[in-house]
């Protein structure tokens, strides 16, 4: 007959086996799905909800029609900062697989193999636009370099999309900040690429031509990027009686020839019928080449023929240039050498670095945007059905310059009057959403009425809900073009060679206007750097040392006293 001790031992063994079995069952269920339903869940307790996928992402993943394969080129002996990015990528894709069983991924090291094989692979990747980041390490007096490839290759059927996980490195921004921004945009970068691969119905984007707008070479880089996800083509207003409804978005880029009343009416009725527009307007005629040629220039207001439309829609582009101490420099001849004039990069307040202003997906997690001679956008609307959101604005050290007034190139060599730069947040790019009113409501001409009648359309005095973005600089979407006709990258400053967020801003603006509730919403995430306040840490060092040293000892002594007290009370006989 088993003793009481043997019974207790057997019971303990059975309980241990049952506990282990229960843990195994729970672990299996925690990674299982029943049909399309997950048998597990999670609670995101972070302030910025960094571990929660947006609703649009979950819907996209659940509706994947065919398998998607992702290959990430972050593997091998990575520096600690890039290892963190790798971990974030793995966690993001792991979250993706919770909503679909049609996504597979793997990490590969592009530098593995014999030297000749690696060299050939690097050349092939370079042809595909996969440019490595160079990481420098200093140890024991020796400096080593390593090529890092923060890219993902996404495959869907016979289609492929290359996704850069880290934007072009900027020398004026710490790599930690760049990697932190990259981590914030992982969900957006992956979902945006997957959407472009799986969506066969591409929206149509038109660039107006015929009114002195930027030429094809000047926005070639932006168009090349847009054509990955959209149908893009020119739109000549005089070729249409009315603008076709299948043009989903119209971009008007730096017109220099005024629009006729016929053309303005066509644009108005396009908006009234729900058309989306990006107005990139130079309200002041000025550029660096003309200033450099003469050394002094008098900027002039430029008439667009759209002033009535703009005012009725709720904004006005006046004759006020915005100057800012946060700017990009220009080369100015500062002295004469034996071989000719010597040029020095000098801060130029007319070339403004516009800063993201709103908590909006268009400008969330982007850097400054390089703008040239931007003008002030005045919000004048009294239509409470139109919501206004300032996307880009000047810094807190800016001012406005009313025209006519000269710009003297030689004056830029000397220090500016800092006291005059006492304005802040001057609007440079604005998003308008809602129901707009037509300026032709009480003055519809017979010719315009006949124009609509010939197309079988009725005049609309009020728009359906729609949106538009106005930017007070037409060059914001212009890439550089050298004397040989070679196209540069949009956003790369021609003088400093530093890349800015012009292309990202324009792509986000297009995506938001076409689908404000789509994958663009995932750009709103922020992974904040929790930086240590060094001054506060030094000031309170003694306090925290005392807590770390004495608090555990006090807690341990208190625990020992309570334990012994309870033990004596339990076993002491009365």
């Amino acid at each position: 007959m088993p003793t009481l001790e043997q019974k207790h031992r057997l019971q303990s063994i059975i309980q241990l086996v049952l506990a282990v079995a229960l843990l195994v069952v729970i672990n299996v269920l925690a990674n299982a799905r029943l049909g399309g339903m997950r048998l597990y869940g999670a609670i995101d307790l972070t302030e910025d909800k960094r571990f929660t996928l947006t609703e649009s992402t979950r819907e996209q993943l659940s509706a994947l029609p065919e398998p998607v394969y992702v290959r990430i080129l972050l593997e091998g002996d990575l520096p600690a900062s890039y290892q963190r990015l790798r971990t974030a990528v793995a966690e993001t894709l792991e979250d993706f697989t919770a909503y679909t069983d049609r996504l597979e991924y793997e990490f590969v090291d592009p530098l593995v193999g014999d030297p000749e094989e690696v060299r050939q692979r690097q050349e092939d990747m370079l042809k595909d636009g996969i440019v490595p980041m160079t990481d420098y390490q200093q140890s024991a007096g020796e400096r080593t370099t390593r090529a890092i490839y923060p890219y993902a290759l996404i495959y869907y059927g016979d289609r492929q999309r290359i996704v850069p996980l880290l934007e072009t490195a900027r020398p004026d921004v710490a790599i930690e900040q760049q990697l932190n921004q990259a981590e914030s945009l992982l969900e957006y970068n992956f979902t945006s690429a997957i959407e472009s691969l799986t969506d066969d119905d591409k929206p149509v984007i038109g660039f107006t031509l015929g009114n002195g707008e930027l030429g094809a070479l000047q926005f070639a880089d932006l168009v090349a990027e847009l054509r990955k996800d959209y149908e893009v083509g020119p739109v000549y207003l005089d070729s249409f009686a009315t603008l076709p409804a299948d043009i989903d978005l119209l971009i008007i880029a730096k017109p220099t020839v005024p629009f006729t009343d016929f053309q303005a009416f066509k644009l108005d009725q396009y908006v009234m019928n729900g058309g989306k527009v990006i107005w990139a307007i130079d309200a002041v005629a000025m550029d660096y080449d003309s200033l450099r040629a003469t050394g002094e220039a008098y900027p002039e207001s430029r008439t667009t023929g759209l002033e009535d439309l703009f005012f009725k829609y709720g904004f006005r582009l006046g004759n006020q240039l915005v100057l800012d101490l946060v700017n990009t420099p220009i080369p100015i001849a500062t002295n004469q050498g034996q071989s000719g004039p010597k040029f020095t990069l000098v801060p130029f307040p007319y070339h403004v670095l516009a800063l993201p202003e709103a908590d909006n997906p268009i400008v969330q997690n982007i850097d400054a945007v390089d703008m040239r001679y931007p003008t002030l956008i005045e919000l004048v609307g009294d239509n409470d059905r139109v919501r206004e959101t300032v996307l880009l604005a000047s810094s807190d050290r800016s001012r406005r310059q009313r025209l006519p007034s000269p710009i003297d190139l030689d004056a830029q060599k000397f220090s500016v009057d800092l006291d005059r730069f006492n304005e802040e947040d001057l609007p440079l790019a604005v998003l308008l959403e809602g129901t707009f009113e037509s300026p032709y409501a009480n003055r519809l001409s017979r010719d315009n009425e006949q124009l609509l009648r010939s197309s079988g359309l009725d005049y609309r005095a009020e728009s359906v809900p729609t949106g538009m973005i106005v930017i007070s600089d037409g060059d914001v979407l212009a890439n550089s073009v050298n004397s040989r006709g070679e196209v540069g990258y949009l956003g790369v400053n021609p003088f400093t060679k530093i890349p800015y967020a012009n292309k990202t801003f324009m792509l986000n603006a297009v995506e938001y206007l076409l689908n404000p509730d789509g994958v663009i919403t995932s750009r709103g995430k922020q992974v904040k750097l929790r930086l240590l306040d060094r001054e506060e840490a030094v000031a309170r060092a003694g306090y925290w040392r005392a807590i770390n040293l004495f608090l555990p000892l006090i807690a341990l002594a208190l625990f020992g006293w309570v334990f012994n007290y309870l033990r004596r009370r339990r076993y002491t006989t009365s």
Side-chain angles (χ1 to χ4, degrees):
M1 185 173 182
T3 64
L4 183 61
E5 182 180 355
Q6 289 175 328
K7 287 183 178 180
H8 286 167
R9 186 180 301 156
L10 179 61
Q11 186 178 10
S12 298
I13 293 175
I14 293 175
Q15 289 176 347
L16 177 62
V17 172
L18 290 176
V20 172
L22 182 61
L23 288 174
V24 171
V25 171
I26 292 175
N27 188 61
V28 171
L29 292 177
N31 292 276
R33 299 167 65 91
L34 183 60
M37 182 181 67
R38 296 184 301 158
L39 300 181
Y40 55 92
I43 300 176
D44 189 351
L45 299 179
T46 58
E47 178 186 356
D48 41 29
K49 300 300 179 184
R50 70 182 67 178
F51 302 114
T52 302
L53 299 181
T54 60
E55 182 63 29
S56 63
T57 297
R58 296 195 294 267
E59 292 177 356
Q60 180 198 63
L61 295 171
S62 301
L64 279 179
E66 295 182 21
V68 173
Y69 178 74
V70 184
R71 177 178 294 160
I72 308 99
L73 308 181
L74 282 174
E75 191 59 280
D77 184 21
L78 298 173
S81 54
Y82 287 93
Q83 184 63 43
R84 175 190 164 186
L85 178 62
R86 182 202 182 281
T87 302
V89 171
E91 291 175 348
T92 300
L93 293 177
E94 184 65 27
D95 289 342
F96 280 17
T97 59
Y99 295 92
T100 182
D101 56 1
R102 295 188 173 183
L103 187 142
E104 298 180 9
Y105 66 92
E106 69 167 343
F107 289 85
V108 298
D109 186 356
L111 302 179
V112 69
D114 61 76
E116 180 59 29
E117 181 182 353
V118 172
R119 185 190 64 79
Q120 184 60 48
R121 186 184 302 129
Q122 288 180 310
E123 290 181 359
D124 293 340
M125 290 191 296
L126 194 60
K127 293 177 182 177
D128 291 333
I130 301 178
V131 182
M133 303 288 184
T134 303
D135 180 74
Y136 299 95
Q137 298 290 332
Q138 188 80 28
S139 61
E142 181 180 359
R143 192 185 195 192
T144 59
T145 61
R146 175 180 171 82
I148 308 292
Y149 288 88
Y151 288 86
L153 282 68
I154 303 181
Y155 302 89
Y156 177 78
D158 58 350
R159 304 175 186 177
Q160 174 186 323
R161 185 71 178 263
I162 298 172
V163 180
L165 304 177
L166 186 65
E167 299 295 332
T168 306
R170 284 185 50 184
D172 59 334
V173 178
I175 186 63
E176 290 78 10
Q177 183 175 341
Q178 296 181 51
L179 289 167
N180 192 70
Q181 185 184 61
E183 186 177 342
S184 302
L185 294 175
L186 285 177
E187 180 185 342
Y188 169 74
N189 285 332
F190 282 123
T191 54
S192 178
I194 292 173
E195 182 182 60
S196 68
L197 289 172
T198 58
D199 190 4
D200 293 322
D201 186 16
K202 293 186 175 183
V204 177
I205 299 175
F207 281 78
T208 63
L209 294 177
N211 289 83
E213 294 91 342
L214 293 175
L217 283 179
Q218 292 174 294
F219 50 70
D221 187 39
L222 177 61
V223 169
E225 194 69 30
L226 288 173
R227 280 182 174 154
K228 296 178 181 179
D229 303 316
Y230 310 99
E231 297 290 343
V232 184
V235 173
Y236 293 89
L237 295 178
D238 291 336
S239 300
F240 301 97
T242 57
L243 288 171
D246 57 359
I247 298 178
D248 300 286
L249 174 67
L250 203 60
I251 298 178
I252 301 176
K254 194 180 178 180
T256 56
V257 176
F259 290 83
T260 65
D261 185 66
F262 256 177
Q263 293 172 329
F265 181 72
K266 294 175 186 178
L267 292 174
D268 173 71
Q269 289 303 290
Y270 172 74
V271 172
M272 294 301 110
N273 284 280
K276 314 291 180 64
V277 184
I278 294 179
W279 312 93
I281 307 295
D282 271 11
V284 172
M286 186 64 213
D287 60 70
Y288 172 70
D289 290 336
S290 60
L291 177 62
R292 183 178 58 177
T294 60
E296 185 180 40
Y298 285 82
E300 297 180 355
S301 297
R302 175 179 283 146
T303 300
T304 63
L306 304 174
E307 286 76 16
D308 290 345
L309 267 67
F310 293 165
F311 189 83
K312 196 64 176 179
Y313 295 163
F315 65 93
R316 178 169 56 202
L317 294 170
N319 59 345
Q320 301 179 72
L321 286 170
V322 173
L323 286 69
D324 203 321
L325 294 182
V326 180
N327 55 63
T328 58
I330 60 172
I332 295 180
T334 52
N335 53 62
Q336 186 73 27
Q338 294 182 351
S339 58
K342 293 185 178 296
F343 289 88
T344 304
L345 289 177
V346 175
F348 193 54
Y350 297 90
H351 285 188
V352 176
L353 277 181
L355 304 175
E357 177 71 14
D359 185 18
N360 184 282
I362 297 176
V363 292
Q364 197 79 44
N365 294 310
I366 74 169
D367 295 323
V369 175
D370 192 4
M371 303 183 78
R372 316 290 171 81
Y373 309 97
T375 53
L376 177 68
I377 300 176
E378 299 177 77
L379 298 175
V380 296
D382 56 359
N383 185 355
D384 57 5
R385 292 178 297 173
V386 174
R387 184 171 70 256
E388 304 161 344
T389 305
V390 177
L391 300 175
L392 297 175
S394 65
S395 76
D396 58 357
R397 301 303 304 274
S398 59
R399 72 177 182 91
R400 66 188 80 186
Q401 176 178 316
R402 297 183 181 274
L403 302 182
S405 56
I407 299 178
D408 187 353
L409 197 59
D410 287 335
Q412 309 307 316
K413 303 175 185 178
F414 309 102
S415 60
V416 297
D417 184 359
L418 300 181
D419 293 336
R420 297 183 63 190
F421 289 82
N422 54 5
E423 296 186 86
E424 62 180 350
D425 300 334
L426 299 176
L428 302 176
V430 178
L431 166 68
L432 302 170
E433 299 172 284
T435 302
F436 298 88
E437 297 176 354
S438 171
Y440 294 90
N442 299 316
R443 58 182 185 90
L444 183 64
S445 68
R446 181 169 301 184
D447 290 337
N448 287 337
E449 187 176 5
Q450 184 177 358
L451 181 69
L452 290 175
R453 191 181 301 113
S454 64
S455 301
L457 299 175
D458 294 325
Y459 167 72
R460 294 188 66 102
E462 184 178 278
S463 78
V464 299
T466 186
M468 63 178 66
I469 293 175
V470 54
I471 309 168
S472 63
D473 174 30
D475 291 315
V476 73
L477 49 74
N479 52 253
S480 61
V481 182
N482 64 20
S483 58
R484 298 185 298 275
E486 296 171 339
V487 173
Y489 292 103
L490 175 58
V492 176
N493 187 278
F495 307 125
T496 63
K497 306 304 179 185
I498 293 177
Y500 294 102
N502 295 48
K503 184 188 293 187
T504 302
F505 172 69
M506 291 305 304
L507 294 176
N508 292 349
V510 168
E511 186 172 357
Y512 181 88
L513 286 176
L514 292 175
N515 189 11
D517 298 320
V519 298
I520 188 69
T521 57
S522 60
R523 287 193 63 91
K525 286 190 174 183
Q526 291 192 55
V527 179
K528 299 177 182 178
L529 284 174
R530 310 295 183 180
L531 300 178
L532 182 67
D533 188 333
R534 297 181 181 273
E535 294 182 1
E536 180 74 10
V538 171
R540 306 190 64 184
Y543 171 77
W544 290 111
R545 286 196 190 102
I547 287 182
N548 290 329
L549 180 62
F550 295 112
L551 190 60
L553 295 177
I554 294 172
L556 183 61
L558 183 62
F559 172 78
W561 181 84
V562 171
F563 177 80
N564 282 289
Y565 170 77
L566 294 176
R567 188 171 181 272
R568 284 197 305 269
R569 183 177 177 181
R570 180 177 182 182
Y571 293 105
T572 300
T573 58
S574 56

